[in-house]
Amino acid sequence: MKRAAPTTPVIKETGGSCQDWPDGLGADLRVLMITSEWPTPELPNSGPFIRRQVEYLRRAGVRVDVFRYRGARNPLNYLRAWRQVRNKVSKTSYDLVHAQFGHSALLALPRRLPLVVTFRGSDLEGIVGRNGGYTIAGRILRRVSKCTARLADQVIIVAESLANHLPQRDYHLIPSGLDLELFCPMPQAAARRQLDLPADKHLVLFAADPDNPVKRFPLAQAAAAILSGQFEVEMVVATDVPQALMPTYMSACDALLLTSLHEGSPNVVKEALACNLPVVSVDVGDVRHRMEAIDGCVLCTHDSPETIATGLAKVLKNKQRIDGRSAVGNLDERLLSELVISVYKQAVRRA
């Protein structure tokens, strides 16, 4: 197993302009976005999908202020953040509040402004503990998220499967978008040289934190171990890797392996498809929808090591890239940002 060597990227806070959208799509909106997932010096690669959404909203002319906090399951942290949000809202003329994840919406209650909430997975599905079961904290999180869903003016989910956990059926399905200029394929040999990865092995990418129980890294290891007599396989673990380097890892590897217990709309799968990297995945979130029309990917019908190993063997034997990029063109962040702005305007009109 080889772990990726992370580096610290430079995070640029740019306001953008309306030039990319000639009609100034969001120029009349000012939004306070609340999130617990945002890059910090300690966690420089946190929440890249949220940071990307903010960047594109700003390009469309939306004036977005980001309020970041760390709850860390500590009520005092939430109380402190709640007071800061109330103070910020009282001093600034925002049109609405956009909470990323259900628990972040707590900081906007009781509402003074229209509230939009984006649910992304664990906030509605729960938190997995070290024993592989759902935790008490996760069950509390689910209750909190269902409560904030009821109180929101508009609800966004990133995958259709999350709708099963909502208390209402009125929602917008807007998956996390992609930067298709960044996530594009490059020659495999050049990518391996750049990352100092072996040229003569089958490399399987595990692009998640192996210590996160929901990602089930031991299951991925068990599947790879079954193939040891058939292929020379090396697992490449890419965690805390800057977004700018992820396309290089995806181009260097032969397959992406996803073994999560649950997901919403896993960005890593969509990013791999944009890089034409074959994906072997268990059936979670919207993965089936993303992969069903793409030859060369494998959706595992069971989450046993043997079934996953069979899928991996099929991909490694083919040794071919896929045509995944054409399947994710509709996930361009610019297009999805237009949908988010439309939800904002509905929230303001409803309020």
Side-chain angles (χ1 to χ4, degrees):
M1 179 183 73
K2 184 178 182 66
R3 284 181 178 262
T7 58
T8 303
V10 177
I11 304 297
K12 295 183 179 180
E13 292 285 349
T14 57
S17 72
C18 300
Q19 295 179 355
D20 290 337
W21 282 268
D23 59 354
L25 183 64
D28 58 339
L29 290 170
R30 185 161 191 179
V31 175
L32 176 63
M33 185 174 290
I34 304 175
T35 178
S36 59
E37 299 290 329
W38 191 259
T40 64
E42 298 76 22
L43 299 168
N45 303 305
S46 175
F49 44 91
I50 297 175
R51 180 167 57 87
R52 184 168 56 243
Q53 184 177 83
V54 168
E55 177 187 345
Y56 275 77
L57 288 171
R58 286 172 174 168
R59 288 185 188 181
V62 181
R63 290 175 294 169
V64 183
D65 290 343
V66 176
F67 179 84
R68 64 173 181 253
Y69 73 100
R70 299 298 295 179
R73 305 180 191 177
N74 186 336
L76 292 179
N77 291 341
Y78 279 92
L79 179 60
R80 188 181 303 112
W82 178 83
R83 288 173 174 169
Q84 292 170 341
V85 168
R86 304 302 283 182
N87 183 57
K88 199 171 183 66
V89 167
S90 67
K91 293 181 178 180
T92 308
S93 297
Y94 292 109
D95 294 296
L96 62 96
V97 174
H98 183 181
Q100 299 280 356
F101 297 97
H103 53 279
S104 295
L106 287 174
L107 306 188
L109 299 177
R111 293 179 305 163
R112 292 184 179 179
L113 294 168
L115 175 61
V116 176
V117 185
T118 295
F119 295 94
R120 295 187 170 275
S122 292
D123 46 1
L124 285 173
E125 294 185 304
I127 300 171
V128 179
R130 294 293 176 185
N131 63 356
Y134 288 94
T135 64
I136 295 176
R139 288 195 286 271
I140 294 173
L141 176 59
R142 291 176 62 179
R143 289 179 178 270
V144 167
S145 294
K146 289 183 178 182
C147 178
T148 56
R150 290 189 182 96
L151 297 173
D153 292 285
Q154 298 291 332
V155 166
I156 297 173
I157 55 175
V158 297
E160 188 69 46
S161 60
L162 296 179
N164 298 326
H165 303 285
L166 287 175
Q168 76 273 46
R169 303 303 296 178
D170 183 15
Y171 60 85
H172 304 270
L173 176 60
I174 306 177
S176 297
L178 295 174
D179 182 347
L180 292 175
E181 293 182 0
L182 173 63
F183 284 93
C184 54
M186 64 180 290
Q188 186 178 73
R192 291 192 177 193
R193 285 195 300 270
Q194 182 176 333
L195 299 173
D196 194 26
L197 293 172
D200 57 346
K201 291 185 178 181
H202 293 90
L203 302 183
V204 176
L205 180 63
F206 188 87
D209 181 0
D211 295 325
N212 184 347
V214 77
K215 304 301 181 181
R216 297 196 293 188
F217 182 58
L219 177 58
Q221 287 181 306
I226 293 174
L227 300 179
S228 59
Q230 187 177 358
F231 300 97
E232 192 171 1
V233 177
E234 182 169 309
M235 189 84 71
V236 178
V237 178
T239 183
D240 289 330
V241 171
Q243 284 280 284
L245 267 182
M246 282 306 300
T248 308
Y249 277 94
M250 290 176 171
S251 295
C253 292
D254 298 295
L256 171 76
L257 180 57
L258 186 81
T259 53
S260 301
L261 181 62
H262 68 239
E263 292 281 356
S265 179
N267 289 290
V268 68
V269 169
K270 295 175 287 190
E271 292 162 356
L273 296 179
C275 294
N276 291 334
L277 176 66
V279 177
V280 178
S281 176
V282 294
D283 192 0
V284 289
D286 66 353
V287 173
R288 176 184 292 271
H289 170 67
R290 298 293 164 206
M291 293 178 11
E292 61 185 357
I294 304 174
D295 290 333
C297 293
V298 176
L299 185 73
C300 300
T301 55
H302 301 285
D303 56 358
S304 66
E306 293 77 15
T307 301
I308 296 169
T310 300
L312 269 178
K314 181 178 179 181
V315 168
L316 297 181
K317 185 177 180 180
N318 286 340
K319 297 187 66 174
Q320 293 181 351
R321 307 311 271 188
I322 60 170
D323 181 19
R325 191 168 179 81
S326 61
V328 294
N330 62 341
L331 296 177
D332 189 310
E333 190 69 67
R334 169 173 164 154
L335 300 176
L336 299 180
S337 294
E338 293 179 7
L339 296 179
V340 173
I341 292 170
S342 175
V343 174
Y344 287 170
K345 292 185 176 182
Q346 291 180 54
V348 172
R349 285 197 301 267
R350 177 174 178 176

